[in-house]
Amino acid sequence: MSTDDRVAVTTGIARLHAAPGLAGPGRFGLVTNHTGVLPDLRPAAPALLAAGAPLVALFGPEHGLHGTGQAGESESARTDPDTGLPVHDTYRRDGERLDKLLIDSGVDALVHDLQDIGARCYTYVWTMFDLMVSAARTGIRFVVADRPNPLGGLVSEGPLLEPAWASFVGRAPVPLRHGLTCGELARWLNASAVPRAAGRAADLTVIEALGWRRAMDAHTTGPPWIAPSPNIPTPATATVYPGTCLFEGTNLSEGRGTTQPFEIVGAPYLDARFAPALAELALPGVHFRDLRFVPAFHKHAGRPLRGVQLHITDRTAFAPVRTAVAMLAVLRRLYPDDFAWHTTDGGAEGTGHRHFIDLLWGSDRLRRAVDAGEDPLPLCDPPSPPGRWAGDDALLYP
């Protein structure tokens, strides 16, 4: 599909730019980063100021306001040079620290405009959740300027997170591929998890994205793709990420330090058996290509690795979570002495604290099944409509 064939969608932030009153009365802060742009790709913050909006502060997530930080990093700037507005770093802040940050900022409302990618373990939605909780506790209104889900909104996939495994890669019982927009997810969280965390729901408004339909994905919806973080460079990356994010919990490289993160995985111990074993599974919508690569940074930096690239042949048939889980089972079967899980301190299994795979999966069920040589695919819910887990009341778009 060419750029000219894309369906025009009016994002929530574009609607706010045209009518600043949609954010309600008083001064507001904008939770945003480099993805917060208007349809003509102008940064939203200076455009809102030029339109007379009472914008008084900016709030940045993981990777920072300008998206330059790598995974687990943000940025140190306290003032935005383009607008002169103060920048508040929300990353790794919650509870009383986040409450104080909001109170000290002097805002009456927060407007959230971050491009999510539709996966539970992507942290932007949990920045939204933590800020909603703080907004509820401090009496600050919360507004979501909605954007399309780049994976579309017809399918959810994977298990719901179990509360005992809550972390910043999953705060609430959400599937790995959730199938909601940020606005829809905010509505669901505000009816369920926010009251449990804050004692009350937030005063929530969603500025809907006009023209978006659940069958649309990043390949069919404008504006042009902006990488929401350094390791999600393309829509193809976002497509595989809800599954291959699980490799962050293993001793395989998930392709960080290359130009194709999450589309390729590899390790020093993989050999010519891996790609053919995956091909034998005949998984829908994907082919596996044997390849070699050398990551420039992160796991196995500077070392020659062998692995596979996932080539998506049918986005509708491809099930990223089931695909990644099948790959993990093959790894444990073929390489039992080499394959290992990582713990939350970055070490190999048995050397640190909780296994990171358990936080990513939302329980220890996947790890235990793979280690026991059991078929882990029954742990994956079959692809299903988002209303199956969130309820139709959460859905804003047909």
Side-chain angles (χ1 to χ4, degrees):
M1 174 174 288
S2 71
T3 301
D4 292 340
D5 294 328
R6 289 175 177 267
V7 177
V9 171
T10 304
T11 59
I13 201 68
R15 295 182 63 199
L16 181 62
H17 175 255
L22 289 174
R27 308 189 309 169
F28 68 83
L30 184 63
V31 186
T32 191
N33 62 6
H34 60 290
T35 65
V37 298
L38 299 179
D40 61 5
L41 301 183
R42 282 183 296 159
L48 287 169
L49 288 175
L55 174 61
V56 297
L58 302 175
F59 296 78
E62 183 182 8
H63 309 293
L65 182 67
H66 300 287
T68 63
Q70 275 293 334
E73 300 176 356
S74 56
E75 295 170 343
S76 60
R78 296 187 177 183
T79 302
D80 175 35
D82 295 333
T83 61
L85 294 176
V87 177
H88 302 282
D89 183 12
T90 69
Y91 185 51
R92 297 188 185 277
R93 294 193 185 192
D94 57 11
E96 293 182 358
R97 292 181 64 205
L98 197 53
D99 293 353
K100 184 177 186 303
L101 185 151
L102 295 192
I103 292 169
D104 291 348
S105 72
V107 302
D108 302 300
L110 286 175
V111 175
H112 179 277
D113 180 39
L114 290 170
Q115 179 60 66
D116 182 41
I117 64 168
R120 183 222 297 152
C121 51
Y122 203 62
T123 62
Y124 291 171
V125 295
W126 305 116
T127 291
M128 179 181 73
F129 173 74
D130 289 345
L131 287 168
M132 287 177 66
V133 170
S134 280
R137 285 195 295 245
T138 58
I140 291 171
R141 292 180 293 105
F142 200 88
V143 180
V144 177
D146 213 5
R147 290 180 173 273
N149 184 325
L151 303 185
L154 293 176
V155 174
S156 65
E157 188 187 0
L160 297 178
L161 176 139
E162 297 179 13
W165 305 96
S167 71
F168 196 47
V169 291
R171 298 281 201 214
V174 173
L176 267 170
R177 176 183 178 182
H178 52 71
L180 302 182
T181 67
C182 279
E184 291 176 324
L185 192 56
R187 288 183 67 180
W188 181 82
L189 290 167
N190 204 40
S192 55
V194 171
R196 288 196 294 269
R200 63 178 67 87
D203 182 356
L204 173 67
T205 299
V206 178
I207 305 175
E208 297 177 26
L210 301 181
W212 190 70
R213 298 294 181 265
R214 312 204 73 79
M216 299 177 185
D217 63 16
H219 297 270
T220 58
T221 307
W225 177 261
I226 296 173
S229 58
N231 291 295
I232 308 291
T234 69
T237 322
T239 299
V240 299
Y241 179 83
T244 53
C245 69
L246 297 173
F247 286 89
E248 296 187 67
T250 74
N251 64 351
L252 276 78
S253 165
E254 64 275 11
R256 294 183 190 271
T258 77
T259 59
Q260 295 173 305
F262 298 105
E263 294 183 67
I264 63 177
V265 299
Y269 56 82
L270 298 186
D271 55 27
R273 295 175 293 165
F274 188 43
L278 296 178
E280 288 177 3
L281 300 177
L283 294 167
V286 61
H287 288 164
F288 298 94
R289 180 176 67 87
D290 181 53
L291 86 161
R292 294 161 176 79
F293 62 97
V294 179
F297 59 86
H298 203 60
K299 293 181 195 169
H300 307 299
R303 299 184 64 184
L305 308 182
R306 190 167 187 172
V308 295
Q309 179 176 354
L310 285 73
H311 291 267
I312 308 307
T313 59
D314 184 336
R315 297 194 308 274
T316 301
F318 176 62
V321 178
R322 294 178 67 83
T323 298
V325 166
M327 293 171 70
L328 292 171
V330 169
L331 284 162
R332 180 59 90 187
R333 174 171 58 84
L334 291 182
Y335 310 100
D337 297 329
D338 297 300
F339 174 76
W341 308 105
H342 273 191
T343 50
T344 52
D345 66 355
E349 54 189 305
T351 66
H353 302 95
R354 303 173 83 182
H355 289 87
F356 192 40
I357 187 66
D358 298 349
L359 303 184
L360 294 167
W361 186 250
S363 77
D364 62 356
R365 297 174 187 269
L366 174 63
R367 174 173 56 84
R368 293 187 180 280
V370 170
D371 285 349
E374 300 171 357
D375 180 5
L377 287 179
L379 297 175
C380 303
D381 286 342
S384 60
R388 178 170 176 249
W389 71 269
D392 291 339
D393 290 345
L395 306 185
L396 289 167
Y397 306 94

